[in-house]
Coordinates of all heavy atoms in Angstrom, one line a residue:
M1 N 39.4 -274.2 101.4 CA 38.0 -274.2 101.7 C 37.8 -275.1 103.0 O 37.0 -274.8 103.8 CB 37.2 -274.8 100.5 CG 35.7 -274.8 100.8 SD 35.0 -273.2 100.5 CE 33.3 -273.5 100.6
S2 N 38.5 -276.2 103.1 CA 38.4 -277.1 104.2 C 38.8 -276.4 105.5 O 38.1 -276.6 106.5 CB 39.2 -278.3 104.0 OG 39.2 -279.2 105.1
E3 N 39.8 -275.6 105.5 CA 40.3 -274.9 106.7 C 39.2 -273.9 107.1 O 39.0 -273.7 108.3 CB 41.6 -274.2 106.4 CG 42.8 -275.2 106.4 CD 43.0 -276.0 107.7 OE1 42.9 -275.3 108.8 OE2 43.2 -277.2 107.6
F4 N 38.6 -273.2 106.1 CA 37.6 -272.3 106.4 C 36.4 -272.9 107.1 O 36.0 -272.3 108.1 CB 37.1 -271.6 105.1 CG 35.9 -270.7 105.3 CD1 36.1 -269.4 105.8 CD2 34.7 -271.1 105.0 CE1 35.0 -268.6 106.0 CE2 33.6 -270.3 105.2 CZ 33.7 -269.0 105.7
L5 N 36.0 -274.0 106.7 CA 34.9 -274.7 107.3 C 35.3 -275.2 108.7 O 34.5 -275.1 109.7 CB 34.4 -275.9 106.5 CG 33.7 -275.5 105.2 CD1 33.4 -276.8 104.4 CD2 32.4 -274.8 105.5
K6 N 36.5 -275.7 108.9 CA 37.0 -276.1 110.2 C 37.0 -275.0 111.2 O 36.5 -275.1 112.3 CB 38.4 -276.7 110.1 CG 38.4 -278.1 109.6 CD 39.8 -278.6 109.6 CE 39.9 -280.0 108.9 NZ 41.3 -280.5 108.9
K7 N 37.5 -273.8 110.7 CA 37.5 -272.6 111.6 C 36.1 -272.2 111.9 O 35.8 -271.8 113.0 CB 38.3 -271.5 110.9 CG 38.5 -270.3 111.8 CD 39.3 -269.3 111.1 CE 39.6 -268.2 112.1 NZ 39.2 -266.9 111.6
A8 N 35.2 -272.2 110.9 CA 33.8 -271.8 111.1 C 33.1 -272.7 112.1 O 32.4 -272.2 113.0 CB 33.1 -271.7 109.8
F9 N 33.3 -274.0 112.0 CA 32.6 -274.9 112.9 C 33.2 -274.8 114.3 O 32.5 -274.9 115.3 CB 32.7 -276.3 112.4 CG 31.7 -276.6 111.3 CD1 32.1 -277.0 110.1 CD2 30.3 -276.5 111.6 CE1 31.2 -277.2 109.1 CE2 29.4 -276.8 110.6 CZ 29.8 -277.1 109.3
N10 N 34.5 -274.5 114.4 CA 35.2 -274.4 115.7 C 34.7 -273.1 116.4 O 34.4 -273.1 117.6 CB 36.7 -274.3 115.5 CG 37.4 -274.4 116.8 OD1 36.9 -275.1 117.8 ND2 38.6 -273.8 117.0
D11 N 34.5 -272.0 115.6 CA 34.0 -270.8 116.1 C 32.5 -271.0 116.6 O 32.2 -270.5 117.7 CB 34.0 -269.7 115.1 CG 35.4 -269.1 114.8 OD1 36.3 -269.4 115.6 OD2 35.5 -268.4 113.8
M12 N 31.7 -271.7 115.9 CA 30.4 -272.0 116.3 C 30.4 -272.8 117.6 O 29.5 -272.6 118.5 CB 29.6 -272.8 115.2 CG 29.2 -271.9 114.1 SD 28.1 -272.6 112.9 CE 28.9 -274.1 112.4
K13 N 31.3 -273.8 117.7 CA 31.4 -274.6 118.9 C 31.7 -273.8 120.1 O 31.1 -273.9 121.2 CB 32.5 -275.7 118.7 CG 32.7 -276.6 119.8 CD 33.8 -277.6 119.5 CE 34.2 -278.4 120.7 NZ 35.3 -279.3 120.4
E14 N 32.7 -272.9 120.0 CA 33.1 -272.0 121.1 C 32.0 -271.0 121.4 O 31.7 -270.8 122.6 CB 34.4 -271.2 120.7 CG 35.6 -272.0 120.5 CD 36.0 -272.8 121.8 OE1 35.9 -272.2 122.9 OE2 36.3 -274.0 121.7
S15 N 31.2 -270.6 120.4 CA 30.1 -269.7 120.7 C 29.0 -270.4 121.5 O 28.4 -269.9 122.4 CB 29.6 -269.1 119.4 OG 28.5 -268.3 119.6
A16 N 28.8 -271.6 121.1 CA 27.7 -272.4 121.8 C 28.1 -272.7 123.2 O 27.3 -272.6 124.1 CB 27.5 -273.8 121.0
K17 N 29.4 -273.0 123.5 CA 29.9 -273.2 124.8 C 29.7 -271.9 125.7 O 29.2 -271.9 126.8 CB 31.4 -273.6 124.8 CG 31.6 -275.0 124.5 CD 33.1 -275.3 124.6 CE 33.5 -276.7 124.2 NZ 34.9 -276.9 124.3
A18 N 30.0 -270.8 125.1 CA 29.9 -269.5 125.8 C 28.4 -269.2 126.1 O 28.1 -268.8 127.2 CB 30.5 -268.4 125.0
Q19 N 27.6 -269.4 125.1 CA 26.1 -269.2 125.3 C 25.6 -270.1 126.4 O 24.7 -269.7 127.2 CB 25.4 -269.4 124.0 CG 23.9 -269.0 124.1 CD 23.7 -267.5 124.5 OE1 24.4 -266.7 123.9 NE2 22.8 -267.3 125.4
H20 N 26.1 -271.4 126.4 CA 25.6 -272.3 127.4 C 26.0 -271.8 128.8 O 25.2 -271.9 129.8 CB 26.3 -273.7 127.2 CG 25.8 -274.7 128.2 ND1 24.6 -275.2 128.3 CD2 26.5 -275.3 129.2 CE1 24.5 -276.1 129.2 NE2 25.7 -276.2 129.8
E21 N 27.2 -271.2 129.0 CA 27.6 -270.7 130.3 C 26.7 -269.5 130.6 O 26.3 -269.3 131.8 CB 29.0 -270.2 130.2 CG 30.0 -271.4 130.1 CD 29.9 -272.3 131.3 OE1 29.9 -271.8 132.5 OE2 30.0 -273.5 131.1
V22 N 26.3 -268.7 129.7 CA 25.4 -267.5 129.9 C 24.1 -268.1 130.4 O 23.5 -267.6 131.3 CB 25.3 -266.6 128.7 CG1 24.2 -265.6 128.8 CG2 26.6 -265.9 128.4
D23 N 23.6 -269.1 129.7 CA 22.3 -269.6 130.0 C 22.3 -270.2 131.4 O 21.3 -270.1 132.2 CB 21.9 -270.7 129.0 CG 21.6 -270.1 127.6 OD1 21.3 -268.9 127.5 OD2 21.5 -270.9 126.6
K24 N 23.3 -270.9 131.8 CA 23.4 -271.5 133.1 C 23.4 -270.4 134.2 O 22.8 -270.5 135.2 CB 24.7 -272.4 133.2 CG 24.6 -273.7 132.6 CD 25.8 -274.6 132.7 CE 26.9 -274.3 133.7 NZ 28.0 -275.2 133.6
A25 N 24.2 -269.3 133.9 CA 24.2 -268.2 134.9 C 22.9 -267.6 135.0 O 22.4 -267.3 136.1 CB 25.3 -267.2 134.5
N26 N 22.2 -267.3 133.9 CA 20.9 -266.7 133.9 C 19.8 -267.6 134.7 O 19.0 -267.1 135.4 CB 20.4 -266.4 132.5 CG 21.0 -265.2 132.0 OD1 21.4 -264.3 132.7 ND2 21.1 -265.1 130.6
F27 N 19.9 -268.9 134.4 CA 19.0 -269.9 135.1 C 19.3 -269.8 136.6 O 18.3 -269.8 137.4 CB 19.2 -271.3 134.6 CG 18.3 -272.3 135.2 CD1 17.0 -272.3 135.0 CD2 18.9 -273.2 136.2 CE1 16.2 -273.2 135.6 CE2 18.0 -274.1 136.8 CZ 16.7 -274.1 136.5
A28 N 20.6 -269.8 137.0 CA 20.9 -269.8 138.4 C 20.4 -268.5 139.1 O 19.9 -268.5 140.2 CB 22.4 -269.9 138.6
A29 N 20.5 -267.4 138.4 CA 20.0 -266.1 138.9 C 18.5 -266.1 139.0 O 18.0 -265.7 140.1 CB 20.5 -265.0 138.0
A30 N 17.8 -266.6 138.1 CA 16.4 -266.7 138.1 C 15.9 -267.6 139.3 O 15.0 -267.3 140.0 CB 15.8 -267.2 136.8
K31 N 16.6 -268.7 139.5 CA 16.3 -269.6 140.6 C 16.5 -269.0 141.9 O 15.7 -269.1 142.8 CB 17.2 -270.9 140.4 CG 16.9 -272.0 141.4 CD 17.8 -273.2 141.1 CE 17.6 -274.2 142.1 NZ 18.5 -275.4 141.9
A32 N 17.6 -268.2 142.0 CA 17.9 -267.5 143.3 C 16.9 -266.4 143.6 O 16.4 -266.3 144.7 CB 19.3 -266.9 143.3
E33 N 16.5 -265.7 142.5 CA 15.5 -264.6 142.7 C 14.1 -265.2 143.1 O 13.4 -264.7 144.0 CB 15.3 -263.8 141.4 CG 16.5 -262.9 141.1 CD 16.4 -262.3 139.7 OE1 15.7 -262.8 138.9 OE2 17.2 -261.4 139.5
S34 N 13.8 -266.4 142.5 CA 12.5 -267.0 142.9 C 12.5 -267.5 144.3 O 11.6 -267.3 145.0 CB 12.3 -268.2 141.9 OG 11.1 -268.9 142.3
K35 N 13.7 -268.0 144.7 CA 13.8 -268.5 146.1 C 13.7 -267.3 147.1 O 13.0 -267.4 148.1 CB 15.0 -269.3 146.4 CG 15.2 -269.8 147.8 CD 16.3 -270.7 148.0 CE 16.3 -271.2 149.4 NZ 16.7 -272.5 149.7
A36 N 14.3 -266.2 146.7 CA 14.3 -265.0 147.5 C 12.8 -264.5 147.7 O 12.4 -264.1 148.8 CB 15.2 -263.9 147.0
Q37 N 12.1 -264.5 146.6 CA 10.7 -264.0 146.6 C 9.9 -264.9 147.5 O 9.0 -264.5 148.3 CB 10.1 -264.0 145.2 CG 10.6 -262.9 144.4 CD 10.1 -262.9 142.9 OE1 9.6 -263.9 142.5 NE2 10.3 -261.8 142.2
W38 N 10.1 -266.2 147.4 CA 9.4 -267.2 148.2 C 9.7 -266.9 149.7 O 8.8 -266.9 150.5 CB 9.8 -268.6 147.8 CG 9.3 -269.6 148.8 CD1 10.0 -270.3 149.7 CD2 7.9 -270.0 149.1 NE1 9.3 -271.1 150.5 CE2 8.0 -271.0 150.1 CE3 6.7 -269.7 148.5 CZ2 6.8 -271.6 150.6 CZ3 5.6 -270.3 149.0 CH2 5.6 -271.2 150.0
E39 N 10.9 -266.8 150.1 CA 11.3 -266.5 151.4 C 10.7 -265.2 152.0 O 10.3 -265.2 153.1 CB 12.8 -266.5 151.6 CG 13.5 -267.9 151.4 CD 13.0 -269.0 152.4 OE1 12.7 -268.6 153.5 OE2 13.0 -270.1 152.0
E40 N 10.7 -264.2 151.1 CA 10.1 -262.9 151.5 C 8.6 -263.1 151.8 O 8.0 -262.6 152.7 CB 10.3 -261.9 150.5 CG 11.8 -261.4 150.4 CD 12.0 -260.5 149.2 OE1 11.2 -260.4 148.3 OE2 13.1 -259.8 149.2
A41 N 7.9 -263.8 150.9 CA 6.5 -264.0 151.0 C 6.2 -264.9 152.3 O 5.3 -264.6 153.0 CB 5.9 -264.8 149.8
K42 N 7.1 -265.9 152.5 CA 6.9 -266.7 153.7 C 7.1 -265.8 155.0 O 6.4 -266.0 156.0 CB 7.9 -267.8 153.7 CG 7.6 -269.0 154.6 CD 8.4 -270.2 154.3 CE 9.8 -270.1 154.6 NZ 10.6 -271.3 154.5
A43 N 8.1 -264.9 154.9 CA 8.4 -264.1 156.1 C 7.3 -263.1 156.4 O 7.0 -262.8 157.5 CB 9.7 -263.3 155.9
M44 N 6.6 -262.7 155.3 CA 5.5 -261.8 155.5 C 4.3 -262.4 156.3 O 3.4 -261.7 156.8 CB 5.0 -261.2 154.2 CG 6.0 -260.3 153.5 SD 6.5 -259.0 154.6 CE 5.0 -258.0 154.6
G45 N 4.3 -263.7 156.3 CA 3.2 -264.4 157.1 C 3.4 -264.3 158.6 O 2.5 -264.5 159.3
R46 N 4.6 -263.9 159.0 CA 4.9 -263.8 160.4 C 4.6 -262.3 160.8 O 5.1 -261.4 160.2 CB 6.4 -264.1 160.7 CG 6.7 -265.6 160.5 CD 8.1 -265.9 161.0 NE 9.2 -265.1 160.4 CZ 9.9 -265.6 159.4 NH1 9.7 -266.8 158.9 NH2 10.9 -264.8 158.9
P47 N 3.8 -262.2 161.8 CA 3.4 -260.8 162.2 C 4.5 -259.9 162.6 O 4.5 -258.7 162.2 CB 2.5 -261.0 163.5 CG 2.1 -262.4 163.4 CD 3.1 -263.2 162.7
E48 N 5.6 -260.4 163.2 CA 6.7 -259.5 163.6 C 7.4 -259.0 162.4 O 7.9 -257.9 162.4 CB 7.6 -260.2 164.6 CG 8.4 -261.5 164.1 CD 7.6 -262.8 164.2 OE1 6.4 -262.7 164.7 OE2 8.1 -263.8 163.8
T49 N 7.6 -259.8 161.4 CA 8.2 -259.3 160.2 C 7.4 -258.3 159.5 O 7.9 -257.3 159.0 CB 8.5 -260.5 159.2 OG1 9.2 -261.6 159.9 CG2 9.3 -260.1 158.0
R50 N 6.1 -258.5 159.4 CA 5.2 -257.5 158.7 C 5.2 -256.2 159.5 O 5.3 -255.1 158.9 CB 3.8 -258.1 158.6 CG 2.9 -257.2 157.8 CD 1.5 -257.7 157.6 NE 1.4 -259.2 157.6 CZ 0.7 -259.9 158.5 NH1 0.2 -259.3 159.5 NH2 0.6 -261.2 158.4
K51 N 5.2 -256.3 160.8 CA 5.2 -255.1 161.6 C 6.5 -254.3 161.4 O 6.5 -253.1 161.3 CB 5.0 -255.4 163.1 CG 3.6 -255.8 163.5 CD 3.5 -256.1 165.0 CE 2.1 -256.7 165.3 NZ 2.1 -257.1 166.7
A52 N 7.6 -255.0 161.4 CA 8.9 -254.3 161.3 C 9.0 -253.7 159.9 O 9.5 -252.5 159.8 CB 10.0 -255.4 161.4
M53 N 8.5 -254.3 158.8 CA 8.6 -253.8 157.5 C 7.7 -252.5 157.4 O 8.1 -251.5 156.9 CB 8.1 -254.8 156.5 CG 8.2 -254.3 155.0 SD 7.2 -255.0 153.8 CE 5.6 -254.6 154.4
M54 N 6.5 -252.6 158.0 CA 5.6 -251.5 158.0 C 6.1 -250.3 158.8 O 6.0 -249.1 158.4 CB 4.2 -251.9 158.5 CG 3.5 -252.8 157.5 SD 1.9 -253.4 158.1 CE 0.9 -252.0 157.8
Q55 N 6.8 -250.6 159.9 CA 7.4 -249.5 160.7 C 8.5 -248.9 159.9 O 8.7 -247.6 159.9 CB 7.9 -250.1 162.0 CG 8.5 -249.0 162.9 CD 7.4 -248.0 163.3 OE1 6.3 -248.3 163.6 NE2 7.8 -246.7 163.3
A56 N 9.3 -249.6 159.2 CA 10.4 -249.1 158.4 C 9.8 -248.2 157.3 O 10.4 -247.1 157.0 CB 11.2 -250.2 157.8
E57 N 8.7 -248.6 156.7 CA 8.1 -247.7 155.7 C 7.6 -246.4 156.3 O 7.8 -245.4 155.7 CB 7.0 -248.5 155.0 CG 7.4 -249.6 154.0 CD 6.2 -250.3 153.4 OE1 5.0 -249.9 153.6 OE2 6.4 -251.3 152.7
R58 N 7.0 -246.5 157.4 CA 6.5 -245.3 158.1 C 7.7 -244.4 158.5 O 7.6 -243.2 158.3 CB 5.7 -245.7 159.3 CG 4.3 -246.2 159.0 CD 3.5 -246.3 160.2 NE 4.0 -247.3 161.2 CZ 3.6 -248.6 161.2 NH1 2.6 -249.0 160.4 NH2 4.1 -249.4 162.1
D59 N 8.8 -245.0 159.0 CA 9.9 -244.1 159.3 C 10.5 -243.4 158.1 O 10.9 -242.3 158.2 CB 11.0 -245.0 159.9 CG 10.6 -245.5 161.3 OD1 9.7 -245.0 161.9 OD2 11.3 -246.5 161.8
E60 N 10.5 -244.1 157.0 CA 11.0 -243.5 155.7 C 10.1 -242.4 155.3 O 10.5 -241.3 154.9 CB 11.1 -244.6 154.6 CG 11.6 -244.1 153.3 CD 11.7 -245.1 152.2 OE1 11.7 -246.3 152.6 OE2 11.8 -244.7 151.1
Q61 N 8.8 -242.6 155.4 CA 7.8 -241.6 155.0 C 8.0 -240.3 155.9 O 7.9 -239.2 155.4 CB 6.4 -242.1 155.0 CG 6.1 -243.1 153.9 CD 4.7 -243.7 154.1 OE1 4.1 -243.6 155.1 NE2 4.3 -244.5 153.0
I62 N 8.2 -240.6 157.2 CA 8.3 -239.4 158.1 C 9.6 -238.7 157.8 O 9.6 -237.4 157.8 CB 8.4 -240.0 159.6 CG1 7.0 -240.5 160.0 CG2 8.9 -238.9 160.5 CD1 7.0 -241.2 161.3
A63 N 10.7 -239.4 157.5 CA 11.9 -238.7 157.1 C 11.8 -237.9 155.8 O 12.3 -236.7 155.8 CB 13.0 -239.7 156.9
Q64 N 11.0 -238.4 154.9 CA 10.8 -237.7 153.6 C 9.9 -236.4 153.9 O 10.2 -235.4 153.4 CB 10.1 -238.5 152.6 CG 11.0 -239.6 152.0 CD 10.2 -240.6 151.1 OE1 9.0 -240.5 151.0 NE2 11.0 -241.4 150.4
A65 N 9.0 -236.6 154.8 CA 8.1 -235.4 155.1 C 8.9 -234.3 155.8 O 8.7 -233.1 155.6 CB 6.9 -235.9 156.0
K66 N 9.8 -234.7 156.7 CA 10.6 -233.8 157.4 C 11.5 -233.0 156.5 O 11.8 -231.8 156.6 CB 11.4 -234.4 158.5 CG 10.6 -234.8 159.7 CD 11.4 -235.5 160.8 CE 10.6 -235.9 162.0 NZ 11.3 -236.5 163.1
E67 N 12.1 -233.8 155.5 CA 12.9 -233.2 154.5 C 12.1 -232.1 153.7 O 12.6 -231.0 153.4 CB 13.5 -234.2 153.6 CG 14.5 -233.7 152.5 CD 15.7 -233.0 153.1 OE1 16.2 -233.4 154.1 OE2 16.2 -232.1 152.4
R68 N 10.9 -232.5 153.3 CA 10.1 -231.5 152.5 C 9.8 -230.3 153.4 O 9.8 -229.2 152.9 CB 8.8 -232.2 152.1 CG 9.0 -233.2 151.0 CD 7.8 -234.1 150.6 NE 6.6 -233.4 150.6 CZ 5.4 -233.9 151.0 NH1 5.4 -235.2 151.4 NH2 4.3 -233.2 151.0
I69 N 9.5 -230.5 154.7 CA 9.3 -229.3 155.6 C 10.5 -228.4 155.6 O 10.4 -227.2 155.5 CB 8.9 -229.8 157.0 CG1 7.5 -230.5 157.0 CG2 8.9 -228.7 158.0 CD1 7.2 -231.2 158.2
N70 N 11.7 -229.0 155.8 CA 12.9 -228.2 155.8 C 13.1 -227.4 154.5 O 13.5 -226.3 154.5 CB 14.1 -229.1 156.1 CG 14.1 -229.7 157.5 OD1 13.5 -229.1 158.4 ND2 14.8 -230.8 157.7
E71 N 12.9 -228.1 153.4 CA 13.0 -227.4 152.1 C 12.0 -226.3 152.0 O 12.3 -225.2 151.5 CB 12.8 -228.4 150.9 CG 13.9 -229.4 150.8 CD 13.7 -230.5 149.7 OE1 12.6 -230.4 149.1 OE2 14.5 -231.3 149.6
A72 N 10.8 -226.5 152.4 CA 9.7 -225.4 152.3 C 10.1 -224.3 153.2 O 10.0 -223.1 152.9 CB 8.4 -226.0 152.7
N73 N 10.6 -224.6 154.4 CA 11.0 -223.5 155.3 C 12.2 -222.7 154.7 O 12.3 -221.5 154.9 CB 11.4 -224.1 156.7 CG 10.2 -224.5 157.5 OD1 9.1 -224.0 157.3 ND2 10.4 -225.4 158.4
A74 N 13.1 -223.4 154.1 CA 14.2 -222.7 153.4 C 13.7 -221.8 152.3 O 14.2 -220.6 152.1 CB 15.2 -223.7 152.8
R75 N 12.7 -222.2 151.5 CA 12.1 -221.4 150.5 C 11.4 -220.2 151.1 O 11.5 -219.1 150.6 CB 11.2 -222.2 149.7 CG 11.9 -223.2 148.7 CD 11.0 -224.1 148.0 NE 9.8 -223.5 147.4 CZ 8.7 -224.1 147.2 NH1 8.6 -225.4 147.4 NH2 7.6 -223.5 146.7
I76 N 10.7 -220.4 152.2 CA 10.0 -219.3 152.9 C 11.0 -218.3 153.4 O 10.8 -217.0 153.2 CB 9.2 -219.8 154.1 CG1 8.0 -220.6 153.6 CG2 8.7 -218.7 155.0 CD1 7.3 -221.4 154.7
D77 N 12.1 -218.7 154.0 CA 13.2 -217.8 154.5 C 13.8 -217.0 153.3 O 14.1 -215.8 153.4 CB 14.2 -218.5 155.2 CG 13.7 -219.1 156.6 OD1 12.7 -218.6 157.0 OD2 14.4 -220.0 157.1
A78 N 14.0 -217.7 152.2 CA 14.6 -217.0 151.0 C 13.6 -216.0 150.5 O 14.1 -214.9 150.0 CB 15.0 -218.1 150.0
A79 N 12.3 -216.3 150.5 CA 11.4 -215.4 149.9 C 11.2 -214.1 150.8 O 10.9 -213.0 150.3 CB 10.0 -216.1 149.8
K80 N 11.4 -214.3 152.1 CA 11.3 -213.2 153.1 C 12.4 -212.2 153.0 O 12.3 -211.0 153.4 CB 11.1 -213.7 154.5 CG 9.8 -214.3 154.8 CD 9.7 -214.7 156.2 CE 8.4 -215.3 156.5 NZ 8.3 -215.7 158.0
K81 N 13.6 -212.6 152.5 CA 14.8 -211.7 152.4 C 14.7 -210.7 151.3 O 14.2 -210.7 150.3 CB 16.0 -212.5 152.3 CG 16.3 -213.3 153.6 CD 17.6 -214.0 153.5 CE 17.8 -214.8 154.8 NZ 19.0 -215.5 154.8

């Protein structure tokens, strides 16, 4: 019985250590994400950053629209045959 308890407590100790490592990693990840959000928000206060981001969004929307046009034209050509 004594060996069983020793093994059980040793297993709990190892499990607690492993969980502590997981908790430390999760905390570090949350801290890094928070800092990234802060830096992004701070960067959005600069006009040049905001303009560049908005231009990138517009470029992406234009590319998607062109892709939709090409798909529609392909459907039209297929329907005409």
Side-chain angles (χ1 to χ4, degrees):
M1 181 80 171
S2 176
E3 287 299 316
F4 173 77
L5 290 176
K6 283 183 184 178
K7 186 175 185 235
F9 284 117
N10 193 30
D11 287 347
M12 287 190 306
K13 180 181 170 183
E14 293 300 319
S15 178
K17 283 183 182 178
Q19 186 61 45
H20 180 68
E21 291 299 317
V22 169
D23 291 343
K24 282 180 17 180
N26 283 333
F27 179 75
K31 186 177 174 182
E33 289 169 345
S34 177
K35 182 169 179 147
Q37 288 175 346
W38 167 253
E39 292 298 329
E40 288 171 345
K42 196 166 69 169
M44 291 307 291
R46 293 190 300 262
E48 63 274 2
T49 305
R50 188 176 329 112
K51 286 179 186 177
M53 185 204 61
M54 292 177 78
Q55 185 61 42
E57 285 180 8
R58 285 191 294 266
D59 291 344
E60 182 180 340
Q61 290 174 350
I62 290 170
Q64 289 173 352
K66 287 181 180 179
E67 181 64 30
R68 289 174 36 216
I69 291 169
N70 291 337
E71 290 173 3
N73 287 335
R75 287 175 43 206
I76 291 169
D77 291 342
K80 286 184 178 180
K81 290 182 181 181

